[in-house]
Amino acid sequence: MEETIAGTETAQIPKQRGESLQDTAVRYAEERHWDVFPGTWLEAVDGVQRCSCGDPACAVPGAHPAREDWATQATGSATVARRLWAKQPSASILLPTGRTFDAIDVPETAGFLALARMHRMELTLGPVTCTPDRRMQFFVLPGAGAKVPDLVRKLGWPLASLDLEVLGEGTYVAAPPTRYGAHGAVQWACRPTPANRWLPDAEELISPLAYACGRDARR
């Protein structure tokens, strides 16, 4: 995985090679001030990695909440996070959205196209994850869900025609290095750095994201 970020600030995420899930979760809370909570985990059953939820057909094995009241369990305290993962060291790392950030979720193909356009436009990006089910999630300031539908319509796109979703209050994202069964691990497409500690507003990123999703839909 990626190496530790050098810098004068404390935001040195990610440092995941050889690091425990507990230590990574603690650093998300401590260095980035993100709320975290432990999800399900993977268990070997007859030599096959299965989700701890017990469903052999689980869509995201080892990468979803383990309990219904997960929202109340989420914590921004590094001390509490360490205690939670001490109980189940293999638990996935999940981050509730709608608190310190929302996430705009798009297909991977559209996400990489949008990233290229954003770099050409010299936009300031927040962290971006890339998941094993070929989705990308762009971290933006909270409140994106209320803005994005109108922003997309103003750009001339019917929102229903785009494979674009805002993850806000009441949902979550899986954080690196959480694994989706045998499909692989969540990775950073744009890692957290001191430079992107302050997240962009959805309005700053929606044009290239909507364009990329619209182009992707026409394929």
Side-chain angles (χ1 to χ4, degrees):
M1 295 297 290
E2 298 166 281
E3 296 178 355
T4 303
I5 304 162
T8 57
E9 299 186 39
T10 58
Q12 297 184 339
I13 300 166
K15 184 183 70 176
Q16 292 160 12
R17 184 184 290 127
E19 185 177 48
S20 70
L21 287 163
Q22 181 191 57
D23 287 343
T24 303
V26 167
R27 289 197 306 111
Y28 286 144
E30 194 168 57
E31 297 176 6
R32 202 71 184 196
H33 305 297
W34 288 337
D35 284 4
V36 297
F37 69 97
T40 52
W41 56 92
L42 296 172
E43 299 176 331
V45 179
D46 297 327
V48 177
Q49 292 289 320
R50 297 282 176 83
C51 185
S52 62
C53 73
D55 180 1
C58 181
V60 282
H64 64 86
R67 42 195 282 181
E68 292 185 2
D69 64 343
W70 60 264
T72 63
Q73 188 186 30
T75 179
S77 164
T79 300
V80 175
R82 186 171 297 281
R83 186 164 64 243
L84 288 172
W85 267 269
K87 296 176 181 178
Q88 181 46 254
S90 300
S92 54
I93 303 172
L94 305 181
L95 312 175
T97 49
R99 299 187 182 188
T100 52
F101 65 88
D102 283 356
I104 301 177
D105 179 277
V106 299
E108 182 183 273
T109 49
F112 279 117
L113 175 61
L115 276 179
R117 288 177 65 85
M118 290 172 186
H119 287 309
R120 287 197 298 271
M121 296 166 69
E122 298 184 346
L123 296 179
T124 300
L125 295 174
V128 181
T129 61
C130 189
T131 68
D133 57 354
R134 303 184 69 82
R135 305 292 297 184
M136 291 179 72
Q137 293 152 352
F138 291 72
F139 289 23
V140 295
L141 290 172
K147 298 179 180 181
V148 164
D150 190 49
L151 291 171
V152 170
R153 280 192 295 270
K154 287 180 178 178
L155 291 168
W157 299 97
L159 185 59
S161 70
L162 302 181
D163 187 0
L164 181 153
E165 180 184 5
V166 178
L167 305 177
E169 187 175 359
T171 187
Y172 61 91
V173 297
T178 295
R179 296 191 65 83
Y180 284 27
H183 304 297
V186 183
Q187 299 183 54
W188 292 114
C190 292
R191 62 184 185 173
T193 70
N196 64 21
R197 177 179 291 279
W198 303 107
L199 299 176
D201 190 276
E203 189 170 1
E204 300 172 59
L205 306 186
I206 197 62
S207 178
L209 284 171
Y211 169 82
C213 287
R215 182 171 169 177
D216 195 54
R218 290 196 298 268
R219 289 183 178 179

